[in-house]
């Protein structure tokens, strides 16, 4: 295998590639592949979401075959999960993990349940050592179709954050470099975001470099509470990583504005100082540091950027309804290892000897930065083409990287008990809804069964043929609808309630551990539980 990398460049992008629905799909995804192939820095790992058509995946593979020779298109659900991973290095193993809670089949116009959303997992080997493995987890969580107290899908999204956090934590415990990529459909520092960062030893790479970035669009209550001015479109790109709903993206323009775009039409530009009320971050890169002891160092964030902002060269439209998130991770050897390898081109020890981290004396301010994980310098917001924060500006940044490495490897902040209580409240609210749905859909089935039998009996006594036909039609259509609801009651809602029960048990266990208590268990032979008689 070639020399071990000292930097890894990563890209995650929601391609907006829904068949029959997304406009100019083929042209846009072809250009996405071409732009990936000529990108600088050259990407080494790419995660794609909403790449539903295998032909689009193959098109992107053809365009990127020289820089990303390895890849996997993940098959899931009735219409595909839309997830794909491209890599410079071989994929040793791949898995498609489907979320236990993933939308409702009754909401067929939304499609989340039918595409079988989950996590596309891949183990990528970049070197010969046992720890020279990157575990990539690419996901697209349930869309937030509703907001506020009426958001009936928030329980699904917190569950999905919980599931991927377990996958990330398991990979980190194996000593591998962990990457969580994708369209998470969540806002920074939201409950879903906190679940990921508190239950897995990973950090949000953007907040490592931009700790004071926004926590939502300007109209969101959490962002309003910060008392900040409405950001400009430029500022939202440079500092807030607004990958969605911003004015730079042509797919968020009004229809009359979009008509100004097209082949042969003049380029339509956006004033960078345009106020941006709606721009927000939904796309994320979460990264760990790898096994610092085994590798003699770890991975830190060198650069984070909003990318793929260019327009299609002929059509003039944005390449997707989301922009990409890009990041570059840099390998930083521990001081002792660096001293031992001054004359060695590789920062890794092939022997994987155990090396103790060098103790560094830090002042109180440095200690605070390490604990909060915000030790990198605040990036400049100059420039308009891409949001970029490069901490590697001079040799003094080695200390900055060392601080970041220590922060990456400190235990992640635990979710407070109030956070678990909030999750449990969401679960209980959603369980009540699903039980009500189960009951009423069962009633619907039995009601229509009775009506259908009544219509069939009435056919024997009606004098007119057209009346008989109407009765048969009503009987058939009603029984079909009732049967579908009966199957939903018997199969889907019961299955979802069981998944919710498992989710609740895991949250109760995690909460007990966070409070230093004994986890919830059932007393064998008594039928009683430690926690208020709950039956598991």
């Amino acid at each position: 295998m070639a020399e071990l990398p000292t930097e890894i460049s990563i890209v995650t992008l929601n391609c907006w590639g829904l068949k029959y629905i997304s406009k100019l799909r083929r042209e846009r995804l072809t250009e996405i592949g071409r732009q990936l192939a000529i990108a600088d820095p050259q990407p080494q790992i790419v995660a794609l979401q909403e790449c539903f058509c295998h032909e689009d995946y193959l098109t992107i593979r053809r365009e990127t075959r020289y820089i990303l020779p390895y890849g996997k298109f993940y098959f899931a659900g009735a219409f595909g999960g839309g997830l794909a991973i491209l890599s410079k290095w071989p994929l040793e193993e791949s898995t498609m993990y489907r979320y236990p809670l993933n939308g409702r089949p009754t909401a067929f116009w939304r499609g989340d349940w039918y595409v079988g959303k989950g996590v596309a997992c891949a183990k990528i080997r970049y070197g010969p050592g046992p720890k020279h493995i990157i575990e990539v987890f690419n996901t697209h969580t349930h869309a937030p179709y509703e907001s506020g107290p009426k958001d009936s899908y928030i329980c699904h999204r917190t569950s999905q954050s919980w599931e991927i956090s377990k996958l990330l934590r398991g990979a980190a415990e194996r000593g591998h470099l962990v990457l969580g990529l994708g369209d998470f459909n969540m806002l920074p520092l939201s409950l879903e975001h906190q679940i990921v960062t508190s239950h897995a030893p990973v950090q949000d790479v953007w907040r490592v470099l931009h700790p004071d970035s926004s926590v939502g669009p300007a109209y969101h209550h959490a962002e309003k509470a910060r008392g900040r001015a409405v950001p400009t479109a430029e500022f939202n790109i440079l500092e807030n990583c607004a990958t969605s709903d911003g004015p730079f993206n042509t797919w968020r323009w009004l229809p009359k504005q979009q008509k100004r775009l097209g082949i042969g039409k003049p380029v339509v530009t956006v004033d960078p100082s345009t106020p941006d009320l709606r721009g927000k971050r939904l796309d994320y890169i979460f990264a760990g540091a790898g096994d610092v002891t085994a590798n003699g160092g770890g991975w830190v964030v060198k650069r984070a950027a909003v990318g793929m902002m260019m327009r299609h060269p002929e059509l003039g439209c944005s390449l997707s309804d989301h922009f990409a998130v890009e990041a570059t991770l840099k390998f930083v050897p521990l001081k002792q290892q660096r001293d031992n390898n001054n004359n060695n081109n590789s920062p890794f020890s092939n022997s994987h000897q155990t090396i103790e981290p060098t103790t560094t004396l830090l002042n109180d301010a440095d200690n605070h930065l390490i604990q909060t994980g915000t030790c990198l310098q605040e990036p400049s917001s100059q420039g308009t083409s891409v949001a970029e924060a490069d901490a590697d500006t001079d040799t003094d940044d080695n200390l900055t990287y060392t601080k970041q490495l220590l922060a990456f490897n400190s235990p992640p902040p635990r979710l407070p008990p109030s956070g678990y209580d909030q999750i449990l409240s969401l679960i209980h609210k959603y369980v009540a809804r699903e039980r009500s749905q189960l009951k009423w859909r069962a009633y619907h089935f039995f009601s229509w069964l009775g009506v259908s039998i009544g219509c069939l009996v009435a056919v024997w006594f009606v004098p007119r043929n057209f009346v008989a036909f109407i009765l048969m039609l009503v009987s058939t259509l009603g029984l079909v609808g009732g049967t579908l609801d009966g199957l939903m009651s018997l199969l889907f809602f019961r299955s979802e309630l069981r998944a919710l029960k498992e989710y609740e048990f895991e949250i109760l266990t995690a909460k007990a551990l966070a409070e230093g208590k004994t986890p919830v268990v059932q007393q064998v032979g008594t039928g009683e539980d430690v926690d208020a008689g709950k039956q598991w």
Side-chain angles (χ1 to χ4, degrees):
M1 186 170 282
E3 184 179 349
L4 295 172
T6 59
E7 293 185 358
I8 298 175
S9 294
I10 307 150
V11 175
T12 178
L13 173 66
N14 182 323
C15 299
W16 194 42
L18 287 76
K19 194 171 185 178
Y20 307 125
I21 297 176
S22 300
K23 298 178 180 179
L24 306 173
R25 192 196 83 245
R26 289 188 179 90
E27 296 86 347
R28 290 187 297 98
L29 270 71
T30 299
E31 184 64 19
I32 286 173
R34 196 181 76 82
Q35 291 296 332
L36 287 172
I38 63 175
D40 183 24
Q42 194 174 88
Q44 293 154 310
I45 294 176
V46 175
L48 302 176
Q49 304 88 46
E50 289 196 13
C51 182
F52 287 103
C53 300
H54 193 250
E55 62 175 298
D56 293 333
Y57 165 76
L58 294 177
T59 298
I60 294 175
R61 285 296 309 276
R62 282 193 294 270
E63 295 288 342
T64 61
R65 63 189 182 277
Y66 296 115
I67 66 166
L68 299 167
Y70 304 97
K72 176 72 172 71
F73 180 85
Y74 290 80
F75 297 90
F79 303 116
L83 302 175
I85 295 174
L86 311 180
S87 171
K88 175 182 177 180
W89 303 289
L91 278 68
E92 287 194 340
E93 183 180 316
S94 69
T95 305
M96 182 64 202
Y97 175 85
R98 187 164 179 174
Y99 288 126
L101 294 175
N102 188 29
R104 299 186 287 268
T106 49
F108 58 87
W109 62 94
R110 288 169 175 163
D112 291 77
W113 187 85
Y114 293 93
V115 301
K117 285 189 173 181
V119 186
C121 314
K123 286 185 179 179
I124 298 174
R125 177 167 293 281
Y126 65 89
K131 302 297 185 181
H132 293 167
I133 292 177
I134 307 169
E135 291 207 42
V136 180
F137 300 92
N138 178 21
T139 191
H140 185 190
T141 63
H142 200 291
Y145 298 107
E146 303 157 336
S147 61
K150 296 182 179 180
D151 188 355
S152 62
Y153 293 105
I154 182 64
C155 187
H156 290 243
R157 294 198 302 280
T158 57
S159 168
Q160 291 170 358
S161 291
W162 179 261
E163 294 296 328
I164 196 171
S165 73
K166 292 190 293 183
L167 296 174
L168 295 171
R169 184 173 68 247
E173 290 171 350
R174 291 188 286 271
H176 300 156
L177 174 60
V178 181
L179 297 177
L181 315 173
D183 179 355
F184 283 76
N185 277 314
M186 65 186 180
L187 297 177
L189 301 187
S190 62
L191 180 59
E192 304 98 292
H193 186 277
Q194 293 179 55
I195 289 172
V196 174
T197 55
S198 65
H199 279 271
V202 296
Q203 294 201 51
D204 178 348
V205 300
W206 189 267
R207 291 195 67 82
V208 169
L209 301 186
H210 298 260
D212 198 38
S213 57
S214 67
V215 295
Y219 64 83
H220 192 267
H221 63 86
E223 184 63 17
K224 284 183 176 180
R226 291 175 8 123
R228 306 298 174 87
V230 175
T232 64
E234 179 184 28
F235 187 87
N236 254 358
I237 292 294
L238 293 171
E239 297 295 333
N240 293 334
C241 192
T243 57
S244 177
D245 293 345
F248 282 121
N249 196 303
T250 64
W251 297 109
R252 302 304 183 186
W253 294 1
L254 297 174
K256 65 178 181 180
Q257 295 172 318
Q258 293 180 0
K259 290 180 180 179
R260 299 170 61 188
L261 306 172
I263 298 176
K265 295 182 179 181
V267 176
V268 181
T269 60
V270 176
D271 186 349
S273 63
T274 301
D276 186 2
L277 286 167
R278 300 177 58 82
K280 58 180 176 287
R281 178 157 69 113
L282 300 178
D283 307 271
Y284 295 81
I285 295 178
F286 295 98
D291 192 324
V292 176
T293 301
N295 291 328
W299 297 92
V300 298
V301 184
K302 176 185 177 182
R303 170 182 175 272
V306 174
M308 302 299 279
M309 293 181 60
M310 67 287 295
R311 305 273 187 87
H312 192 282
E314 296 178 357
L315 302 173
C317 62
S318 297
L319 301 184
S320 174
D321 61 351
H322 285 233
F323 294 139
V325 180
E326 303 172 356
T328 299
L329 303 184
K330 178 182 177 66
F331 184 84
V332 175
L334 299 176
K335 185 176 185 301
Q336 179 180 341
Q337 178 74 353
R338 190 163 56 244
D339 292 342
N340 292 339
N341 290 326
N342 277 336
N343 298 320
N344 190 338
N345 290 331
S346 171
F348 298 91
S349 170
N350 289 330
S351 60
H352 292 281
Q353 26 185 322
T354 301
I355 299 171
E356 295 298 327
T358 301
T359 302
T360 305
L361 296 178
L362 303 171
N363 57 34
D364 292 340
D366 289 335
N367 281 323
H368 172 71
L369 293 174
I370 290 174
Q371 292 301 320
T372 58
T374 59
C375 48
L376 290 182
Q377 297 174 355
E378 188 70 20
S380 169
S381 60
Q382 295 179 351
T384 60
S385 61
V386 71
E388 184 173 314
D390 192 340
D392 193 20
T393 55
D394 53 52
T395 55
D396 291 338
D397 284 325
N398 285 330
L399 178 59
T400 297
Y401 286 140
T402 301
K403 292 177 181 179
Q404 187 188 154
L405 187 58
L406 291 174
F408 261 76
N409 284 275
S410 62
R414 280 192 175 274
L415 195 67
S418 60
Y420 294 108
D421 289 336
Q422 188 177 353
I423 298 173
L424 291 170
S425 175
L426 293 173
I427 294 174
H428 297 157
K429 181 179 178 181
Y430 194 69
V431 165
R433 179 196 184 280
E434 296 303 271
R435 284 177 175 166
S436 175
Q437 287 285 315
L438 184 152
K439 179 180 67 175
W440 286 108
R441 289 178 187 274
Y443 286 164
H444 185 214
F445 166 70
F446 286 110
S447 297
W448 271 109
L449 180 62
V451 170
S452 180
I453 293 174
C455 288
L456 293 175
V457 171
V459 168
W460 289 62
F461 301 100
V462 295
R464 303 294 182 91
N465 290 337
F466 78 90
V467 177
F469 171 78
I470 292 174
L471 290 173
M472 291 294 293
L473 182 63
V474 170
S475 172
T476 302
L477 294 179
L479 187 58
V480 168
T483 300
L484 289 176
D485 270 347
L487 291 172
M488 291 285 296
S489 175
L490 179 65
L491 301 177
F492 170 73
F493 287 105
R494 292 182 184 278
S495 174
E496 190 164 58
L497 285 169
R498 282 165 170 75
L500 287 163
K501 199 70 172 175
E502 287 296 322
Y503 181 30
E504 182 184 18
F505 180 81
E506 293 179 19
I507 297 299
L508 285 171
T509 302
K511 180 187 176 184
L513 291 173
E515 294 175 337
K517 299 178 181 178
T518 303
V520 178
V521 292
Q522 186 174 32
Q523 300 293 336
V524 178
T526 67
E528 296 180 356
D529 288 332
V530 172
D531 187 63
K534 286 186 176 293
Q535 296 299 313
W536 304 101

